[in-house]
Amino acid sequence: MTAGDAPGVGAARAGSAQPGPPPQASAWNIANALTVLRIALVPVFGWLLLFDGGHETRYRILAAGVFVLASITDRIDGDIARARGIVTDFGKVSDPIADKALMGMAFVGLSLLGELPWWVTIVVLVREVGITAMRFVVIRHGVMPASRGGKVKTVLQAVAIGLYVLPLSGGWHLAAELVMGAAVVVTVVTGADYVIRARTLRRTSPRAQAKRARRATGLGAGEGAAQTPEQTAQTPEQAAPAAEVRGRAAEPVDPAAPEPPA
């Protein structure tokens, strides 16, 4: 600041030099376009899988191709968004929805064809929907990123579904069953892990700590206010000596009365 600058001008310049919040990336970007494409591929995949009761080999191969394409977009759209700094609220919401819709269509479709037990589909869908809803509930305390076990679960599910969708037989069908069994186990274990992490986050987040601090402050103030009348209240036995002292102080003093012995 030069000698001719006023203090207010210097302060204004200093304030204007402070960087503001980064602008929100536009929702119209390549990452979100891939997410929308994956959502659009879900009904196409379901139609190809269920065509003619799943007995058309050509349509089953096409269904497997669509599933692989959709799974690839699920992998690269997040990487593109983070690499280019175009992460948006739309992407945060739509990406898990697209993922769960694709997997849900695959599990339900295979169960409708009688190739996958319904209990497997129910366990997987309850876990996926429940954990997704729980993550949205605790998002005010913080974001729970995908764990390494969750990523392994996604890969195992995708491989197992791909093997089931393809018209394979013999040893390949046995491999599909083994991979699906591993996927179910990892799905349940990671689901329990997410529940534990969510409970820990709700107890240890800054929001939870601030809430406990406010509650403790409020209780302390309430206890102090409640103790004031109790502390000022006196029983008749406690009030009697005080009344006697006040009565003596109120009695007139006779000047002719002899002084008490020292």
Side-chain angles (χ1 to χ4, degrees):
M1 185 174 66
T2 62
D5 289 337
V9 176
R13 290 180 180 176
S16 61
Q18 295 179 355
Q24 175 71 30
S26 173
W28 297 95
N29 56 63
I30 182 63
N32 290 342
L34 291 174
T35 302
V36 173
L37 174 62
R38 186 161 72 257
I39 295 175
L41 288 176
V42 171
V44 178
F45 164 71
W47 181 76
L48 292 172
L49 177 63
L50 299 175
F51 183 83
D52 194 22
H55 299 297
E56 284 286 342
T57 302
R58 180 178 59 179
Y59 284 88
R60 291 291 291 264
I61 295 175
L62 289 174
V66 172
F67 179 79
V68 171
L69 176 61
S71 300
I72 292 175
T73 63
D74 181 33
R75 173 63 180 174
I76 65 177
D77 59 355
D79 295 339
I80 293 175
R82 287 185 293 269
R84 299 189 179 184
I86 52 177
V87 178
T88 62
D89 294 336
F90 175 81
K92 294 178 182 178
V93 174
S94 60
D95 184 74
I97 292 176
D99 180 33
K100 301 304 181 289
L102 178 64
M103 290 297 181
M105 182 70 253
F107 277 97
V108 171
L110 291 172
S111 293
L112 288 174
L113 295 177
E115 299 183 15
L116 190 65
W118 274 105
W119 71 265
V120 173
T121 298
I122 293 174
V123 168
V124 171
L125 293 185
V126 168
R127 185 271 188 198
E128 297 293 346
V129 175
I131 296 301
T132 301
M134 184 186 66
R135 293 175 75 169
F136 278 109
V137 170
V138 302
I139 197 171
R140 57 182 178 176
H141 295 278
V143 178
M144 286 196 307
S147 62
R148 183 173 301 179
K151 296 177 181 179
V152 172
K153 178 266 304 179
T154 301
V155 172
L156 288 175
Q157 287 183 357
V159 173
I161 290 173
L163 292 174
Y164 267 97
V165 172
L166 287 171
L168 303 174
S169 59
W172 285 106
H173 185 71
L174 176 60
E177 292 180 345
L178 293 176
V179 176
M180 182 60 74
V184 172
V185 172
V186 176
T187 297
V188 174
V189 172
T190 55
D193 177 66
Y194 273 118
V195 172
I196 296 173
R197 290 170 58 191
R199 294 183 61 183
T200 303
L201 181 62
R202 293 190 63 179
R203 291 196 306 266
T204 60
S205 67
R207 178 187 178 92
Q209 293 176 359
K211 185 176 181 180
R212 285 195 297 268
R214 290 195 302 269
R215 186 180 301 173
T217 303
L219 290 175
E223 291 175 358
Q227 290 176 358
T228 301
E230 296 176 359
Q231 293 174 351
T232 55
Q234 294 180 335
T235 62
E237 292 78 3
Q238 295 173 332
E244 183 179 353
V245 171
R246 288 195 299 271
R248 291 178 179 177
E251 293 178 356
V253 179
D254 187 3
E259 296 183 359

